[in-house]
Amino acid sequence: MTIVLIAVLAYFVATGLLLRSVPRERPDGSGGWRWLALAAVVLHAGYHAMVAWRTAGGPDLHFYSALSLVALGMAAMTVMVGARGTAAVGVVVFPLAAAMLLIYHGHGHAPSPALDWRLQLHAWLALLAYATLAIAALLATMLWLQERALRRREFHAWLRALPPLTQLETVLFRTIAVGFLLLTLTLLTGVLFVEDFLSQHLVHKTVLSVLSWLVFGGLLLGRWRYGWRGVRAVHWTLTAMALLLLSFFGSKFVLELVLGRP
């Protein structure tokens, strides 16, 4: 519990430092938030490693654990790329990571079936893809808010915390491209390594994941071929992310918490 509390405190203090730096127009380069956030990420990861070491079976990848791991990945990526002008996403990501860690700790840890390296590779690729594309969804939301405020000529203080519109758009599409690659590898390893989709209740998850992959792929193709940007890019990104959330967490919620199946 001590590790969890220290991690949560570090996440919230890092968030406070980011908020405090908004009026200075440089939330990415001052305030010491990065070191606190890095400490929180290390403690968050250490807690999961400690649970995995103490729990029988394979790594805990149940519903609440998966939520916490995705939030951990989002926090880690925010720390790594925050210096490029996207540190503002930490205002959302860090409290989210703290909340997911607390929920996971409070819910308890269930033993998981042992997985061979191929299925573990598939699972970790999936979690990393979800975390990357969740960051993309946050960037898309920031882009929409920024465009909306500029169109209305509403120059709020929080706008100074965001990078220029073109830079934010570039970072968004680079993040989508990385997430799309990870999602492609996730689907590919699923096809190669998962033996029986029907018995494992994976058909609906696969269909929704493929639909999300098609939407993200269509967006990247539209960007490359037709120069798609702005509100259209935001809509496509959020639609694809909604399908992905339904695919993984929606299906896990129904199977594990509603129907009581592993």
Side-chain angles (χ1 to χ4, degrees), residues 9-205:
L9 179 62
Y11 274 133
F12 279 112
V13 174
T15 304
L17 291 175
L18 272 174
L19 287 170
R20 185 180 177 185
S21 65
V22 166
R24 304 174 188 173
E25 305 184 20
R26 294 284 302 187
D28 57 325
S30 63
W33 67 267
R34 187 175 292 107
W35 293 109
L36 278 168
L38 178 61
V41 166
V42 171
L43 290 171
H44 193 159
Y47 180 71
H48 275 274
M50 183 179 66
V51 170
W53 180 63
R54 292 182 176 181
T55 305
D60 187 358
L61 296 176
H62 290 88
F63 180 77
Y64 293 106
S65 177
L67 281 175
S68 179
L69 286 168
V70 168
L72 169 62
M74 294 172 67
M77 282 183 278
T78 301
V79 172
M80 288 188 292
V81 304
R84 299 181 181 180
T86 58
V89 298
V91 174
V92 177
V93 170
F94 296 151
L96 177 66
M100 292 302 102
L101 177 58
L102 279 173
I103 291 172
Y104 175 50
H105 174 75
H107 184 266
H109 315 116
S112 298
L115 302 175
D116 65 20
W117 68 269
R118 297 170 300 176
L119 291 179
Q120 287 198 40
L121 175 63
H122 169 69
W124 291 115
L125 281 172
L127 292 173
L128 192 56
Y130 299 143
T132 305
L133 293 171
I135 291 288
L138 286 176
L139 291 171
T141 303
M142 289 166 52
L143 179 65
W144 174 75
L145 290 172
Q146 190 176 35
E147 280 201 336
R148 182 171 176 266
L150 292 175
R151 282 199 309 269
R152 297 183 177 186
R153 297 186 178 182
E154 298 174 351
F155 302 104
H156 302 288
W158 57 264
L159 281 173
R160 295 195 295 267
L162 301 181
L165 201 62
T166 54
Q167 181 184 349
L168 181 58
E169 197 171 67
T170 300
V171 173
L172 168 63
F173 277 98
R174 287 177 180 174
T175 306
I176 292 173
V178 173
F180 180 74
L181 175 60
L182 291 168
L183 185 57
T184 302
L185 293 174
T186 299
L187 294 173
L188 182 61
T189 54
V191 170
L192 293 175
F193 300 149
V194 177
E195 296 179 357
D196 192 343
F197 283 83
L198 292 177
S199 66
Q200 298 184 48
H201 314 287
L202 295 176
V203 174
H204 54 287
K205 181 186 294 187

Side-chain angles (χ1 to χ4, degrees), residues 206-228:
T206 303
V207 170
L208 290 170
S209 296
V210 170
L211 287 175
S212 177
W213 181 83
L214 289 173
V215 175
F216 276 123
L219 173 58
L220 291 173
L221 179 62
R223 171 71 170 184
W224 171 72
R225 185 69 178 82
Y226 304 108
W228 287 357

